[in-house]
Amino acid sequence: MSAPTQTAPAPAVAPSPHMTARQKLVLTLLLGAQFMIAVDFSILNVALPVVGEGLGFSLSHLQWIATAFALAAAGFTLLFGRVADLVGRKRLFLAGMAVLGASSLLGGLATSPEVLLVARVLQGLATAAVTPAGLALLTTAFKEGPLRERALGLNGALMSAGFTAGAILGGLLTDLLSWRWAFFVNVPVAALVLVLAPSVITDSRPDRRPRLDLPGAATVTGGLLLLVYGLTQAGETGWGAPATLAALLSGAALLVVFRFVEKRAAAPLVPLHILKRRTVIWGNAAGLIAFVTETSLVFLLTLYLQEVLGYSPLATGLAFGVLGLGTVIGGTLGGRAVGRLGNRTTIVVGG
């Protein structure tokens, strides 16, 4: 009598991971904050001529409304990324959101150019704090795998969409209400995040608490600030002006010093071996070129469309919406293009 044949059990199919209700709320709060940061980059662009007229900015000084924000955001993001590791990412995230809400209220109530510029600097500092802290909280809230990939994918898509939404929303608010609402719209969003986040978001820190690396922080922050300032002065007074040359040369010198400081630092802000990778070099170069050309294009087109062609703020916002739509499509298809064509080919074709 033959033994009964035994069939091997069918392999278990791993269920598709689903987010819990708490994870969905965490994702909504963090993505909402990052989306608001992205919107802030463009929401005031279409209102620049109206703001200048209302507060008495001269045409040559109008760029400082955007530059004051960019100086603080670009100069302090790297430093605040390390500060988040020291004091806690959740704590810095909440502090940044509080500053963002308060500075937006100050900007909306501004009655002089000086007050508005102070508000823009504070908004830039808040952006420099919220961006790295929020991204770190997002990655630690989801374990490595499909859920984290989905969360990061949504974050990238919303950051791209923020430019479009900001341009259209800025034009709509300026046309229907006032340019001041381009600031005021941030206040309730920041308040909602501050109310809900403390009980929902779990704090995270690195396993080993790093040191601050004060020399590195001082040199890279100072170098970035001087470079951005020098580029701004070049557009206002010319490349050969003493102030422009002094700022650019000093900024470049400080960044060179930063490189030598990081070589000897026990806990460097930026491990230099990472910067030597080809993918990082290509990515940084392409990102720098894209950011510089995009932001200058938006500033010049804002003035051209409204001051020369006579577009309303809303029409200008809709025109930038077309550019933003291209950004969203490019951001959505970019990952697939990199997978099929490779990093270098995608960057060259995109450029």
Side-chain angles (χ1 to χ4, degrees):
M1 192 173 176
S2 60
T5 57
Q6 293 183 347
T7 58
V13 179
S16 176
H18 295 284
M19 293 187 187
T20 65
R22 184 185 182 89
Q23 285 178 319
K24 290 179 180 178
L25 183 54
V26 170
L27 184 65
T28 301
L29 287 174
L30 292 176
L31 291 187
Q34 299 284 28
F35 180 71
M36 187 173 74
I37 291 295
V39 166
D40 267 354
F41 273 100
S42 58
I43 193 170
L44 206 60
N45 287 335
V46 298
L48 286 179
V50 181
V51 176
E53 184 179 344
L55 293 183
F57 278 92
S58 65
L59 185 62
S60 61
H61 291 156
L62 201 58
Q63 63 178 324
W64 280 103
I65 298 176
T67 301
F69 178 92
L71 270 171
F76 288 89
T77 296
L78 193 58
L79 172 61
F80 282 150
R82 176 54 55 87
V83 172
D85 294 338
L86 293 173
V87 304
R89 293 156 181 168
K90 177 180 176 181
R91 186 177 299 175
L92 186 67
F93 175 79
L94 294 175
M97 291 301 299
V99 173
L100 184 61
S103 59
S104 297
L105 181 61
L106 177 65
L109 297 174
T111 56
S112 68
E114 293 78 13
V115 174
L116 185 74
L117 292 179
V118 169
R120 291 295 282 167
V121 169
L122 292 174
Q123 280 188 321
L125 290 173
T127 297
V130 169
T131 301
L135 186 59
L137 289 170
L138 186 65
T139 55
T140 54
F142 300 93
K143 293 182 179 180
E144 188 173 356
L147 287 184
R148 179 183 290 183
E149 292 174 3
R150 191 185 311 169
L152 292 177
L154 286 172
N155 181 69
L158 281 177
M159 292 291 282
S160 299
F163 176 85
T164 306
I168 297 175
L169 183 61
L172 188 65
L173 292 173
T174 302
D175 252 10
L176 298 182
L177 298 170
S178 165
W179 62 265
R180 297 181 184 277
W181 282 94
F183 286 97
F184 289 148
V185 72
N186 286 338
V187 178
V189 178
L192 183 63
V193 172
L194 288 172
V195 169
L196 296 178
S199 59
V200 174
I201 296 176
T202 303
D203 201 1
S204 68
R205 295 192 188 194
D207 295 331
R208 295 179 61 186
R209 187 174 182 180
R211 287 182 285 182
L212 183 54
D213 181 21
L214 284 174
T219 51
V220 72
T221 302
L224 290 173
L225 286 172
L226 286 169
L227 279 181
V228 175
Y229 176 77
L231 292 172
T232 301
Q233 286 297 105
E236 186 173 341
T237 61
W239 291 96
T244 300
L245 291 175
L248 291 175
L249 291 176
S250 300
L254 280 176
L255 291 181
V256 171
V257 173
F258 170 71
R259 180 177 182 274
F260 287 102
V261 168
E262 295 303 277
K263 274 187 173 182
R264 300 182 179 183
L269 282 176
V270 180
L272 293 179
H273 67 275
I274 294 178
L275 297 180
K276 296 178 181 178
R277 295 178 181 174
R278 285 189 175 183
T279 53
V280 176
I281 293 173
W282 275 82
N284 282 339
L288 177 63
I289 293 170
F291 180 78
V292 169
T293 54
E294 185 92 353
T295 51
S296 57
L297 173 69
V298 169
F299 176 75
L300 293 173
L301 274 181
T302 296
L303 298 181
Y304 178 73
L305 290 175
Q306 296 187 56
E307 298 296 326
V308 178
L309 298 185
Y311 278 35
S312 68
L314 178 56
T316 304
L318 291 173
F320 282 129
V322 178
L323 180 62
L325 182 61
T327 305
V328 174
I329 295 173
T332 304
L333 301 179
R336 298 179 186 178
V338 169
R340 291 186 179 184
L341 305 175
N343 297 331
R344 184 181 304 180
T345 303
T346 302
I347 289 174
V348 171
V349 172

